[in-house]
Amino acid sequence: MKLIFAKPAMPSKGALVVGVLEGRKLLPTAQAIDAKTHGALKRAFEASRFEGKKDQVAILLAPPGTRLSRIIAIGLGKGVEVNALGLEAFGAKAALEAIASQESDVALAVDAIAGCKLGLGEMAARMALGARLRSWRFDRYLTQEKPDDKPKLKNLTLLTGEVTQARRAFAPLVALAEGIELTRELQSEPANIIHPESMAARARELTKLGVSVEILGEARMKKLGMNALLGVGQGSARESKLVVLRWTGAKNKNAKPVAIVGKGVTFDSGGISIKPSGGMEDMKWDMSGAAVVFGLMKALAGRKAKVNVVGIAGLVENMPSGTAQRPGDVVRSMSGQTIEVINTDAEGRLVLADALWYCQNRFKPVAMIDLATLTGAILIALGSEYAGLFVTDNKLSDGLVRAGEATGESLWRLPLSDTYDKLIKSDIADMKNVGDGKAGSITAAQFLKRFTNNVPWAHLDIAGTAWTKKDLATVPKGASAFGVRLLERFLAENYEN
Ligand code: BES
Ligand code: MN
Ligand code: ZN
């Protein structure tokens, strides 16, 4: 689907989408159409009991006095809170209806809405972003799809009085969308396709955008003493990898970077502490944190963000085998701290222990933020509405929470406190990798904190938000890329110069 910005004009073919406020309040384009069709639009609303409530749809076929195939009216609700996210949701809904119409050319009228602070250009750009994000699909393996099930929409034209502003506003959003799409794609690929080796290879493609890419293999990690990470991957036929990405966009090339670290367990079988088979296929998503790191770097490089960022992904496959790590094994992490591996399924924290230590040790970042599908317990606490936020610095916390609200990728802060440390005390090592089952997300965060060396740090537990079981406003069911928008925004607001 191509997104086009053009001056408002009545299209000579295809479908036209218009927004309508609650109470059947017509915006200017709809008003013009209603007049042109001698009131047919309003009669269609009455006939279909369309009120203009949010996401309601009414369709007028072959409207008289026009050459359109149909007019699709979409409810905007009261319109009082039409902000960027609301406009994205509207654009998304418009794209879905446009696709359902089976037309190849659809126009979407961008009208001013009372109370909306954005200009017509910015409004059009937001709608276009929503349309793009919602109509993305992962159909690589659907070889037998019926032609009728395939989207036929070729051009979605946004009719806006501010074409130049729209194009200018959309350019950075295209970079964002490309980043999100990379993340979603990597997430969606099954674990036989995306494993540590192939995922690391995908990172190389970011070189084209000016991202520096380094890939550490097992020999190099062994030399560095990263035995916690290596232990998780030692049962796999695939080689573990640590990917280091660098985007140096700040005016001062030597300015200390912000670091983003992702858990990249390309499949989490649980290892010897094997998971039950029901639902185990969901563990292909366990590399989502690392996929967010890739997508975020792509989004930043794509719009030449003026910020220095390091992205690190710990890529491993957690498998049971004759070479796999056993419950009770003790590993010496890169930090020197020893860990008793009570449960091989608590592997994310082992991977991050070495990735975080390596990150702060090498880059001395101003702040370090990790993303990980770390605990099932975060789903018990927060469901899929918020990701868990654990953070050692209040300013960092505020910035992240604010970016979450602005992007719809919401965070809820949970405690870090040394009082939980007793739960991960081991008899034979410096710590063990699980607590007693209570406060599981907190003990996991408390474990990670030991590998941050007091660098301002935030941990995002995205186990409940990395993928979605139902369609959301701008996220189709499946990979959500949760974290890309959030962190792109967070970096723009707090670190770009
Ligand atoms: N990858 C899982 C966490 C997870 C669960 C992510 C559900 C997404 C959905 C993680 O590695 C894991 O297995 N955690 C265990 C920890 C336990 C053994 C202490 C868990 O949450 O059960
Ligand atoms: Mn696990
Ligand atoms: Zn896991």
Side-chain angles (χ1 to χ4, degrees):
M1 178 183 70
K2 237 172 94 186
L3 291 158
I4 299 161
F5 298 100
K7 281 256 173 273
M10 182 62 75
S12 59
K13 60 170 179 171
L16 175 67
V17 185
V18 296
V20 178
L21 290 167
E22 198 165 323
R24 295 183 191 156
K25 278 193 224 110
L26 302 186
L27 299 176
T29 308
Q31 245 162 36
I33 297 244
D34 193 52
K36 227 182 163 110
T37 59
H38 306 292
L41 191 60
K42 279 219 153 157
R43 286 204 301 284
F45 290 174
E46 272 156 42
S48 60
R49 297 196 188 82
F50 172 88
E51 318 257 12
K53 289 203 174 114
K54 199 165 171 296
D55 287 345
Q56 265 187 339
V57 177
I59 296 172
L60 174 61
L61 290 169
T66 77
R67 275 186 279 171
L68 295 168
S69 62
R70 76 192 73 204
I71 292 162
I72 302 168
I74 297 179
L76 279 162
K78 295 204 172 67
V80 279
E81 254 192 58
V82 186
N83 51 15
L85 286 183
L87 292 164
E88 287 173 25
F90 177 70
K93 180 79 180 163
L96 288 185
E97 293 300 323
I99 290 165
S101 78
Q102 302 259 24
E103 296 286 348
S104 64
D105 286 275
V106 176
L108 168 56
V110 182
D111 288 303
I113 302 171
C116 176
K117 291 181 194 76
L118 305 177
L120 288 172
E122 179 75 17
M123 286 177 76
R126 286 288 156 183
M127 289 184 199
L129 176 65
R132 175 161 173 174
L133 292 180
R134 183 63 180 81
S135 56
W136 178 87
R137 65 205 293 264
F138 186 75
D139 54 9
R140 182 167 296 166
Y141 303 115
L142 297 175
T143 67
Q144 309 287 307
E145 228 183 354
K146 298 197 182 67
D148 269 1
D149 294 335
K150 285 210 171 81
K152 292 190 189 58
L153 184 63
K154 287 213 172 59
N155 301 310
L156 183 63
T157 304
L158 295 105
L159 304 173
T160 167
E162 296 182 355
V163 172
T164 318
Q165 291 92 324
R167 290 197 185 120
R168 199 180 308 134
F170 194 50
L173 299 182
V174 169
L176 179 61
E178 284 172 352
I180 289 168
E181 285 162 7
L182 170 63
T183 299
R184 286 183 185 173
E185 184 201 330
L186 292 170
Q187 287 185 281
S188 304
E189 285 286 7
N192 59 325
I193 302 296
I194 283 293
H195 45 71
E197 296 158 4
S198 57
M199 186 151 167
R202 293 297 301 271
R204 286 254 185 252
E205 296 166 16
L206 297 174
T207 313
K208 289 198 282 285
L209 295 171
V211 175
S212 112
V213 181
E214 281 170 77
I215 299 170
L216 284 62
E218 288 182 354
R220 184 88 193 89
M221 286 192 275
K222 183 91 212 150
K223 279 214 187 79
L224 288 162
M226 303 177 87
N227 301 307
L229 184 154
L230 289 168
V232 177
Q234 80 185 32
S236 168
R238 303 288 182 180
E239 187 181 348
S240 300
K241 304 279 184 186
L242 189 84
V243 173
V244 180
L245 305 172
R246 266 180 298 169
W247 171 251
T248 311
K251 268 189 218 107
N252 176 4
K253 302 289 167 224
N254 299 317
K256 295 257 180 294
V258 180
I260 315 292
V261 181
K263 167 178 173 181
V265 176
T266 60
F267 189 74
D268 180 14
S269 69
I272 295 298
S273 314
I274 197 163
K275 288 181 181 293
S277 53
M280 201 202 275
E281 68 279 7
D282 279 345
M283 287 300 113
K284 77 165 183 180
W285 304 112
D286 213 23
M287 34 57 78
S288 294
V292 168
V293 170
F294 286 21
L296 174 66
M297 297 304 278
K298 182 163 188 177
L300 293 171
R303 67 169 177 80
K304 306 224 176 313
K306 293 186 168 48
V307 60
N308 293 345
V309 180
V310 168
I312 293 186
L315 305 179
V316 302
E317 186 184 46
N318 188 21
M319 296 293 269
S321 78
T323 63
Q325 147 165 283
R326 294 145 293 253
D329 283 5
V330 174
V331 292
R332 190 179 301 273
S333 69
M334 184 186 175
S335 72
Q337 300 173 92
T338 57
I339 306 161
E340 184 186 11
V341 180
I342 297 294
N343 188 322
T344 65
D345 196 13
E347 85 297 342
R349 65 199 74 181
L350 298 171
V351 173
L352 288 174
D354 280 337
L356 287 167
W357 187 266
Y358 174 84
C359 178
Q360 61 77 29
N361 182 53
R362 176 168 171 197
F363 295 105
K364 314 284 180 247
V366 288
M368 201 157 56
I369 302 167
D370 78 72
L371 302 108
T373 46
L374 202 66
T375 66
I378 204 71
L379 269 145
I380 307 293
L382 301 174
S384 293
E385 311 305 323
Y386 287 82
L389 169 66
F390 300 84
V391 48
T392 58
D393 178 280
N394 288 334
K395 195 164 162 277
L396 192 53
S397 176
D398 289 348
L400 285 165
V401 168
R402 214 170 310 120
E405 282 164 4
T407 56
E409 295 185 336
S410 309
L411 301 176
W412 197 271
R413 190 173 181 181
L414 291 164
L416 281 168
S417 163
D418 297 346
T419 54
Y420 291 94
D421 280 346
K422 54 183 173 287
L423 296 171
I424 51 173
K425 236 177 107 41
S426 160
D427 291 335
I428 73 159
D430 298 334
M431 70 197 85
K432 55 183 181 178
N433 75 331
V434 292
D436 65 358
K438 297 194 189 94
S441 304
I442 304 174
T443 51
Q446 208 57 37
F447 179 100
L448 295 181
K449 184 166 172 270
R450 298 178 176 209
F451 300 89
T452 61
N453 206 10
N454 296 319
V455 171
W457 162 74
H459 158 55
L460 276 48
D461 193 334
I462 57 169
T465 53
W467 76 98
T468 168
K469 296 198 160 153
K470 54 182 194 340
D471 292 331
L472 305 177
T474 57
V475 185
K477 177 180 160 188
S480 71
F482 184 104
V484 176
R485 298 196 64 166
L486 169 81
L487 292 179
E488 194 266 349
R489 175 82 175 224
F490 167 77
L491 291 168
E493 281 183 352
N494 297 278
Y495 293 95
E496 265 191 85
N497 51 38

